[in-house]
Amino acid sequence: MEYTILILLLPFLSFLVLGLGGKWMSHRTAGLIGTASLTVTAVLSYLTAALYFGADRLADGTYPVHTLWHFTWLPFTERLSIDLGILLDPISVMMLIVISTVSLMVHIYSFGYMKGERGFQRYYAFLSLFSMSMLGLVVAPNIFQMYLFWELVGVSSYLLIGFYYTKPAAIAASKKAFIVTRFADLGFLVGILIYGYYVGTYDITPGAMTAVKGGSAMISLALGLMFIGGAGKSAMFPLHIWLPDAMEGPTPVSALIHAATMVVAGVYLVARMFPLFIEYAPDVLHLVAYVGAFTAFFAASIACVQSDIKRVLAFSTISQIGFMMVALGVCTSTDPHHGGLGYMASMYHLFTHAMFKALLFLGAGSIIHAVHSNEMSAMGGLRKYMPVTHWTFLIACLAIAGIPPFTGFFSKDEILAACFQYSDAMGWIMTAIAAMTAYYMFRLYFGIFWGKENKELHAAHRPHESPLSMTFPLVFLAAITVVGGWQFILPFGHFISADGQLYDIHLDKQIALTSVAIAVVAIVLAALVYRKDRQPVADALARRFHGLWTAAYHRFYIDEVYQFVTHKIIFRCISTPVAWWDRHVVDGFFNFLAWASDAGSDSIRTLQSGRVQQYALVFLLGVLALILILLI
């Protein structure tokens, strides 16, 4: 499998070619170069998965771990060094499939969506850099290489979110995403340094993880700090504020960020370090579950009232990432499969969510492309004009709502089973949040495709179905969403538990029936409220709970709290006095030294007159003074 280096090199070369020479290319040429590189990358990723999961397993039933292209970059001690290479194990191979598939669909889709846009070549260059960064992150054999690509993902997101650099909102959103995640990444970096000191290596292979030399409390601290970095990248509360504003970038970028790259990096980090979490930091792991559960509920409650289609999907992503975190966090060391159910459920949901969430965002892009607006008030009745988008969007909504036989049903059921295994309270909380998910997604669906049609707007600009370059990715992802939950379709067979064993995907009938029944009730409720042209129930509820509705619409004013803390407290109460001290005391002291040196040198410069007689006189006077001093 030495060819796997091409999985990273091809998108990187595409980035260089398009970044350096793209301005001299036509849009079609630039798009073909970027898409061709990702096509080959996707083919190589699928070939890697077929060879890896098709090979014989080890004697204990686990899959082998391969480290390829390994070399030492920066040696520190005999054991501690920063190495580079490619790690192939079940979780990294699965992520190769997820990233390459979604990225390829985004590249194809962008041919139609970004047609005629200024900076088209630059856009494809940034897409290639983003894809390469995430691919490098998931195959990293050590935590430091992961951190390097982690930061490249941050840079790529900054470039893509701010793609429309003439729009002030896009500039602000890109800076916001970059700054918030950088603060979180500081915790990640400190955690890495503590990990390296106490573990003695930056490797994250199973052998390295079992070589921890004491200091379990410090390992727990290191893992907690790493989770802060993961929480920032995956937009967990209270570090979620950057993700809704990231919608200012092109819609295909939103699909890439939300489905397969940036936001799942935090989940991947916790999953990658899972053996250490469950062994040395179970309390931190449970904290991950509580943060994930609150984030899932918080984001779902906001999604229920948003009117911008992309913001509904953004908060949906935050909520679903919370589900994945909960699944990892509810694992315990007493689990007979060593955390197998929750770990497997989280990774399974990561896979399924990537497909149907990419489908939802690309479907949203198709809708926006047709009506030239993000607001639901500009939509309604679009099923008549956009049949392909309508049916594929419906499939994605059914999947995220957890309706069988779509993929989301199977992965959500596994998460709920893991939550009930942890505690009944956690199980019912997550079941309720799953019902909220079904409600707000079908509120969105009925509002777009069945609700009151904006005939005045549609008369001025008649909606139409998107071109083949945009509908093909929709159909492809919809097909995966339909059959991806069937066990015999999965290319890697069942799913892999944390200890590398095969873990059968099975249904807990009681949990499945209960969750499906609750989801159906939520869908029916959404249909009754939002399917018709008039929505008296929704209007009455908005009036009755005006304060709560307004707070949720404004995201519970968390952004305003951050603004108040930064501008009124940090800037005014801390930064302003510090700046005054710096200008008047520190700068004043050094300015005084400069003035004193200048004045002193000016007063004694006459001593250097250049006249020999004066120098001789001064010399004699000095000698006489020394003699007198010695005599006295």
Side-chain angles (χ1 to χ4, degrees):
M1 296 185 183
E2 298 295 327
Y3 64 84
T4 50
I5 190 67
L6 295 175
I7 294 175
L8 301 184
L9 287 180
L10 288 174
F12 180 65
L13 291 175
S14 173
F15 162 69
L16 291 180
V17 170
L18 296 176
L20 297 177
K23 65 182 297 184
W24 293 286
M25 300 177 186
S26 66
H27 286 194
R28 180 177 177 83
T29 302
L32 286 175
I33 290 174
T35 305
S37 70
L38 256 297
T39 301
V40 178
T41 298
V43 170
L44 293 177
S45 298
Y46 276 89
L47 176 62
T48 301
L51 294 176
Y52 182 82
F53 290 109
D56 293 335
R57 297 196 295 273
L58 301 177
D60 60 357
T62 62
Y63 283 97
V65 176
H66 302 297
T67 304
L68 309 173
W69 296 92
H70 182 271
F71 67 94
T72 299
W73 178 34
L74 296 175
F76 298 124
T77 65
E78 183 178 345
R79 285 189 61 207
L80 185 61
S81 63
I82 297 179
D83 301 339
L84 299 179
I86 294 177
L87 176 69
L88 296 181
D89 69 348
I91 182 176
S92 64
V93 174
M94 181 204 75
M95 289 300 296
L96 288 179
I97 295 175
V98 170
I99 296 166
S100 61
T101 300
V102 175
S103 183
L104 176 59
M105 291 301 106
V106 168
H107 275 72
I108 296 173
Y109 182 92
S110 297
F111 256 105
Y113 189 86
M114 299 296 290
K115 183 179 180 181
E117 288 277 5
R118 182 183 177 186
F120 187 87
Q121 301 92 331
R122 174 169 53 91
Y123 170 80
Y124 267 90
F126 292 163
L127 279 186
S128 296
L129 178 63
F130 206 161
S131 302
M132 184 276 296
S133 302
M134 194 63 194
L135 290 166
L137 189 155
V138 299
V139 299
N142 62 77
I143 196 68
F144 225 110
Q145 180 179 331
M146 182 186 292
Y147 181 75
L148 296 177
F149 283 97
W150 185 280
E151 295 304 318
L152 273 176
V153 169
V155 171
S156 305
S157 66
Y158 170 79
L159 295 172
L160 283 169
I161 294 170
F163 175 76
Y164 298 119
Y165 59 87
T166 57
K167 292 174 57 180
I171 297 171
S174 62
K175 291 192 293 185
K176 187 176 186 179
F178 192 79
I179 292 170
V180 171
T181 53
R182 292 295 74 70
F183 272 106
D185 291 351
L186 176 62
F188 187 19
L189 179 59
V190 174
I192 289 173
L193 298 176
I194 295 174
Y195 174 85
Y197 181 81
Y198 282 95
V199 179
T201 179
Y202 292 121
D203 288 349
I204 50 179
T205 54
M209 289 183 171
T210 58
V212 179
K213 54 177 182 181
S216 59
M218 297 306 295
I219 298 299
S220 178
L221 174 62
L223 294 171
L225 290 170
M226 289 183 192
F227 172 65
I228 293 176
K233 197 72 82 180
S234 289
M236 292 289 97
F237 182 90
L239 300 172
H240 66 283
I241 58 171
W242 66 269
L243 190 57
D245 291 343
M247 300 298 98
E248 294 296 335
T251 301
V253 171
S254 302
L256 195 57
I257 291 176
H258 287 251
T261 54
M262 191 167 179
V263 295
V264 299
V267 178
Y268 178 81
L269 172 65
V270 177
R272 173 57 72 196
M273 306 301 290
F274 186 80
L276 282 178
F277 269 105
I278 203 164
E279 182 69 26
Y280 295 97
D283 292 337
V284 176
L285 204 57
H286 296 333
L287 177 63
V288 170
Y290 302 142
V291 171
F294 179 80
T295 302
F297 171 74
F298 178 82
S301 62
I302 295 175
C304 287
V305 300
Q306 295 298 305
S307 59
D308 184 315
I309 179 175
K310 290 175 68 175
R311 291 196 185 277
V312 174
L313 297 180
F315 282 103
S316 169
T317 297
I318 298 173
S319 183
Q320 294 301 302
I321 296 294
F323 269 82
M324 300 175 203
M325 289 292 191
V326 169
L328 289 170
V330 296
C331 298
T332 64
S333 57
T334 58
D335 188 326
H337 291 279
H338 204 60
L341 178 57
Y343 178 94
M344 181 277 298
S346 178
M347 294 300 96
Y348 189 18
H349 197 58
L350 189 156
F351 171 81
T352 61
H353 174 265
M355 301 306 164
F356 60 68
K357 183 52 63 71
L359 176 55
L360 285 168
F361 267 105
L362 296 183
S366 180
I367 295 164
I368 295 169
H369 186 264
V371 301
H372 300 282
S373 175
N374 291 19
E375 290 294 323
M376 292 169 60
S377 58
M379 303 169 192
L382 292 182
R383 71 188 186 281
K384 297 178 294 185
Y385 306 102
M386 309 178 70
V388 176
T389 302
H390 167 233
W391 286 109
T392 54
F393 200 91
L394 174 60
I395 288 171
C397 288
L398 290 169
I400 196 173
I403 302 300
F406 304 101
T407 55
F409 162 72
F410 297 97
S411 57
K412 184 201 69 173
D413 180 76
E414 295 296 316
I415 291 178
L416 295 181
C419 291
F420 275 107
Q421 186 182 79
Y422 178 73
S423 72
D424 288 342
M426 182 64 81
W428 284 112
I429 288 172
M430 299 312 294
T431 301
I433 299 172
M436 294 173 67
T437 303
Y439 173 78
Y440 69 68
M441 286 308 305
F442 275 86
R443 169 184 176 267
L444 184 67
Y445 165 74
F446 286 120
I448 294 171
F449 296 104
W450 290 83
K452 183 178 181 181
E453 181 178 351
N454 192 326
K455 295 183 179 179
E456 181 179 348
L457 183 64
H458 292 178
H461 185 86
R462 184 177 176 84
H464 56 85
E465 186 58 271
S466 299
L468 180 62
S469 61
M470 295 172 65
T471 55
F472 170 75
L474 298 181
V475 174
F476 183 86
L477 291 170
I480 297 178
T481 301
V482 171
V483 303
W486 304 348
Q487 293 186 29
F488 63 87
I489 294 294
L490 293 175
F492 23 83
H494 312 285
F495 247 85
I496 315 300
S497 67
D499 56 4
Q501 299 283 351
L502 275 177
Y503 195 96
D504 291 333
I505 297 172
H506 63 283
L507 291 178
D508 185 310
K509 292 182 179 180
Q510 182 177 354
I511 294 175
L513 290 174
T514 302
S515 63
V516 170
I518 293 175
V520 169
V521 170
I523 292 171
V524 171
L525 179 61
L528 293 174
V529 176
Y530 294 101
R531 184 175 179 270
K532 298 180 180 180
D533 290 350
R534 297 178 180 273
Q535 300 170 358
V537 177
D539 296 337
L541 289 174
R543 289 193 300 269
R544 179 68 178 82
F545 301 99
H546 178 71
L548 181 61
W549 187 94
T550 303
Y553 184 80
H554 290 94
R555 302 180 251 180
F556 293 104
Y557 304 103
I558 300 297
D559 288 77
E560 286 75 6
V561 171
Y562 271 101
Q563 285 285 94
F564 176 80
V565 170
T566 53
H567 287 78
K568 302 297 184 181
I569 298 178
I570 296 178
F571 291 169
R572 180 177 296 180
C573 300
I574 299 176
S575 299
T576 301
V578 170
W580 182 91
W581 177 270
D582 180 66
R583 286 194 302 269
H584 294 86
V585 178
V586 178
D587 288 354
F589 174 71
F590 283 98
N591 290 338
F592 169 76
L593 291 180
W595 173 84
S597 300
D598 181 67
S601 62
D602 186 64
S603 63
I604 64 174
R605 68 179 180 175
T606 55
L607 295 176
Q608 296 289 337
S609 63
R611 292 181 293 182
V612 178
Q613 298 90 334
Q614 180 181 350
Y615 295 164
L617 177 61
V618 172
F619 177 76
L620 290 174
L621 291 175
V623 170
L624 290 174
L626 288 174
I627 293 173
L628 288 174
I629 291 172
L630 292 173
L631 290 175
I632 293 172

PDB file of all heavy atoms in Angstrom, residues 183-197:
ATOM      1  N   PHE A 183      -7.943  29.793  19.877  1.00  0.00           N
ATOM      2  CA  PHE A 183      -7.969  29.768  21.336  1.00  0.00           C
ATOM      3  C   PHE A 183      -8.123  28.333  21.839  1.00  0.00           C
ATOM      4  O   PHE A 183      -7.460  27.914  22.787  1.00  0.00           O
ATOM      5  CB  PHE A 183      -9.123  30.636  21.863  1.00  0.00           C
ATOM      6  CG  PHE A 183      -8.754  32.075  22.068  1.00  0.00           C
ATOM      7  CD1 PHE A 183      -9.206  33.049  21.200  1.00  0.00           C
ATOM      8  CD2 PHE A 183      -7.950  32.453  23.121  1.00  0.00           C
ATOM      9  CE1 PHE A 183      -8.863  34.371  21.372  1.00  0.00           C
ATOM     10  CE2 PHE A 183      -7.596  33.780  23.319  1.00  0.00           C
ATOM     11  CZ  PHE A 183      -8.062  34.749  22.446  1.00  0.00           C
ATOM     12  N   ALA A 184      -9.006  27.581  21.210  1.00  0.00           N
ATOM     13  CA  ALA A 184      -9.197  26.185  21.615  1.00  0.00           C
ATOM     14  C   ALA A 184      -7.942  25.364  21.330  1.00  0.00           C
ATOM     15  O   ALA A 184      -7.567  24.490  22.117  1.00  0.00           O
ATOM     16  CB  ALA A 184     -10.400  25.597  20.880  1.00  0.00           C
ATOM     17  N   ASP A 185      -7.282  25.657  20.220  1.00  0.00           N
ATOM     18  CA  ASP A 185      -6.103  24.884  19.842  1.00  0.00           C
ATOM     19  C   ASP A 185      -4.933  25.118  20.779  1.00  0.00           C
ATOM     20  O   ASP A 185      -4.007  24.293  20.841  1.00  0.00           O
ATOM     21  CB  ASP A 185      -5.681  25.227  18.407  1.00  0.00           C
ATOM     22  CG  ASP A 185      -6.678  24.717  17.377  1.00  0.00           C
ATOM     23  OD1 ASP A 185      -7.582  23.960  17.778  1.00  0.00           O
ATOM     24  OD2 ASP A 185      -6.559  25.076  16.199  1.00  0.00           O
ATOM     25  N   LEU A 186      -4.951  26.232  21.512  1.00  0.00           N
ATOM     26  CA  LEU A 186      -3.908  26.436  22.527  1.00  0.00           C
ATOM     27  C   LEU A 186      -3.984  25.336  23.580  1.00  0.00           C
ATOM     28  O   LEU A 186      -2.958  24.800  24.007  1.00  0.00           O
ATOM     29  CB  LEU A 186      -4.075  27.816  23.175  1.00  0.00           C
ATOM     30  CG  LEU A 186      -3.112  28.125  24.323  1.00  0.00           C
ATOM     31  CD1 LEU A 186      -1.666  28.113  23.840  1.00  0.00           C
ATOM     32  CD2 LEU A 186      -3.450  29.484  24.953  1.00  0.00           C
ATOM     33  N   GLY A 187      -5.200  24.991  23.999  1.00  0.00           N
ATOM     34  CA  GLY A 187      -5.363  23.883  24.937  1.00  0.00           C
ATOM     35  C   GLY A 187      -4.880  22.580  24.340  1.00  0.00           C
ATOM     36  O   GLY A 187      -4.235  21.766  25.014  1.00  0.00           O
ATOM     37  N   PHE A 188      -5.185  22.361  23.061  1.00  0.00           N
ATOM     38  CA  PHE A 188      -4.735  21.151  22.369  1.00  0.00           C
ATOM     39  C   PHE A 188      -3.212  21.056  22.385  1.00  0.00           C
ATOM     40  O   PHE A 188      -2.634  20.001  22.680  1.00  0.00           O
ATOM     41  CB  PHE A 188      -5.270  21.189  20.938  1.00  0.00           C
ATOM     42  CG  PHE A 188      -5.018  19.933  20.141  1.00  0.00           C
ATOM     43  CD1 PHE A 188      -4.710  18.727  20.750  1.00  0.00           C
ATOM     44  CD2 PHE A 188      -5.108  19.956  18.755  1.00  0.00           C
ATOM     45  CE1 PHE A 188      -4.488  17.568  20.004  1.00  0.00           C
ATOM     46  CE2 PHE A 188      -4.892  18.812  18.002  1.00  0.00           C
ATOM     47  CZ  PHE A 188      -4.566  17.617  18.635  1.00  0.00           C
ATOM     48  N   LEU A 189      -2.537  22.173  22.076  1.00  0.00           N
ATOM     49  CA  LEU A 189      -1.071  22.164  22.018  1.00  0.00           C
ATOM     50  C   LEU A 189      -0.465  21.894  23.388  1.00  0.00           C
ATOM     51  O   LEU A 189       0.479  21.094  23.508  1.00  0.00           O
ATOM     52  CB  LEU A 189      -0.570  23.505  21.474  1.00  0.00           C
ATOM     53  CG  LEU A 189       0.943  23.666  21.384  1.00  0.00           C
ATOM     54  CD1 LEU A 189       1.561  22.597  20.484  1.00  0.00           C
ATOM     55  CD2 LEU A 189       1.307  25.058  20.879  1.00  0.00           C
ATOM     56  N   VAL A 190      -0.996  22.538  24.432  1.00  0.00           N
ATOM     57  CA  VAL A 190      -0.474  22.289  25.785  1.00  0.00           C
ATOM     58  C   VAL A 190      -0.699  20.832  26.165  1.00  0.00           C
ATOM     59  O   VAL A 190       0.166  20.186  26.772  1.00  0.00           O
ATOM     60  CB  VAL A 190      -1.145  23.244  26.795  1.00  0.00           C
ATOM     61  CG1 VAL A 190      -0.713  22.901  28.222  1.00  0.00           C
ATOM     62  CG2 VAL A 190      -0.786  24.692  26.480  1.00  0.00           C
ATOM     63  N   GLY A 191      -1.858  20.283  25.816  1.00  0.00           N
ATOM     64  CA  GLY A 191      -2.124  18.869  26.079  1.00  0.00           C
ATOM     65  C   GLY A 191      -1.135  17.963  25.368  1.00  0.00           C
ATOM     66  O   GLY A 191      -0.678  16.956  25.930  1.00  0.00           O
ATOM     67  N   ILE A 192      -0.777  18.304  24.138  1.00  0.00           N
ATOM     68  CA  ILE A 192       0.199  17.510  23.389  1.00  0.00           C
ATOM     69  C   ILE A 192       1.550  17.519  24.101  1.00  0.00           C
ATOM     70  O   ILE A 192       2.220  16.485  24.223  1.00  0.00           O
ATOM     71  CB  ILE A 192       0.338  18.067  21.956  1.00  0.00           C
ATOM     72  CG1 ILE A 192      -0.919  17.758  21.148  1.00  0.00           C
ATOM     73  CG2 ILE A 192       1.561  17.470  21.255  1.00  0.00           C
ATOM     74  CD1 ILE A 192      -0.938  18.423  19.787  1.00  0.00           C
ATOM     75  N   LEU A 193       1.968  18.686  24.583  1.00  0.00           N
ATOM     76  CA  LEU A 193       3.270  18.793  25.247  1.00  0.00           C
ATOM     77  C   LEU A 193       3.291  17.982  26.548  1.00  0.00           C
ATOM     78  O   LEU A 193       4.278  17.307  26.858  1.00  0.00           O
ATOM     79  CB  LEU A 193       3.591  20.263  25.524  1.00  0.00           C
ATOM     80  CG  LEU A 193       3.722  21.149  24.271  1.00  0.00           C
ATOM     81  CD1 LEU A 193       3.951  22.602  24.669  1.00  0.00           C
ATOM     82  CD2 LEU A 193       4.843  20.658  23.384  1.00  0.00           C
ATOM     83  N   ILE A 194       2.198  18.048  27.308  1.00  0.00           N
ATOM     84  CA  ILE A 194       2.126  17.249  28.543  1.00  0.00           C
ATOM     85  C   ILE A 194       2.121  15.763  28.202  1.00  0.00           C
ATOM     86  O   ILE A 194       2.803  14.958  28.854  1.00  0.00           O
ATOM     87  CB  ILE A 194       0.862  17.637  29.344  1.00  0.00           C
ATOM     88  CG1 ILE A 194       0.960  19.084  29.820  1.00  0.00           C
ATOM     89  CG2 ILE A 194       0.679  16.702  30.547  1.00  0.00           C
ATOM     90  CD1 ILE A 194      -0.298  19.595  30.502  1.00  0.00           C
ATOM     91  N   TYR A 195       1.381  15.401  27.179  1.00  0.00           N
ATOM     92  CA  TYR A 195       1.327  14.005  26.736  1.00  0.00           C
ATOM     93  C   TYR A 195       2.713  13.506  26.350  1.00  0.00           C
ATOM     94  O   TYR A 195       3.140  12.420  26.755  1.00  0.00           O
ATOM     95  CB  TYR A 195       0.368  13.910  25.549  1.00  0.00           C
ATOM     96  CG  TYR A 195       0.311  12.546  24.887  1.00  0.00           C
ATOM     97  CD1 TYR A 195      -0.526  11.552  25.367  1.00  0.00           C
ATOM     98  CD2 TYR A 195       1.084  12.273  23.759  1.00  0.00           C
ATOM     99  CE1 TYR A 195      -0.593  10.305  24.748  1.00  0.00           C
ATOM    100  CE2 TYR A 195       1.028  11.038  23.136  1.00  0.00           C
ATOM    101  CZ  TYR A 195       0.197  10.062  23.629  1.00  0.00           C
ATOM    102  OH  TYR A 195       0.144   8.831  23.027  1.00  0.00           O
ATOM    103  N   GLY A 196       3.443  14.296  25.566  1.00  0.00           N
ATOM    104  CA  GLY A 196       4.782  13.882  25.152  1.00  0.00           C
ATOM    105  C   GLY A 196       5.729  13.723  26.316  1.00  0.00           C
ATOM    106  O   GLY A 196       6.561  12.801  26.338  1.00  0.00           O
ATOM    107  N   TYR A 197       5.603  14.589  27.310  1.00  0.00           N
ATOM    108  CA  TYR A 197       6.521  14.522  28.461  1.00  0.00           C
ATOM    109  C   TYR A 197       6.272  13.278  29.302  1.00  0.00           C
ATOM    110  O   TYR A 197       7.207  12.592  29.712  1.00  0.00           O
ATOM    111  CB  TYR A 197       6.355  15.779  29.322  1.00  0.00           C
ATOM    112  CG  TYR A 197       7.273  15.803  30.525  1.00  0.00           C
ATOM    113  CD1 TYR A 197       8.601  16.200  30.404  1.00  0.00           C
ATOM    114  CD2 TYR A 197       6.804  15.430  31.785  1.00  0.00           C
ATOM    115  CE1 TYR A 197       9.445  16.217  31.501  1.00  0.00           C
ATOM    116  CE2 TYR A 197       7.644  15.440  32.887  1.00  0.00           C
ATOM    117  CZ  TYR A 197       8.957  15.835  32.736  1.00  0.00           C
ATOM    118  OH  TYR A 197       9.789  15.848  33.832  1.00  0.00           O
TER     119      TYR A 197
END
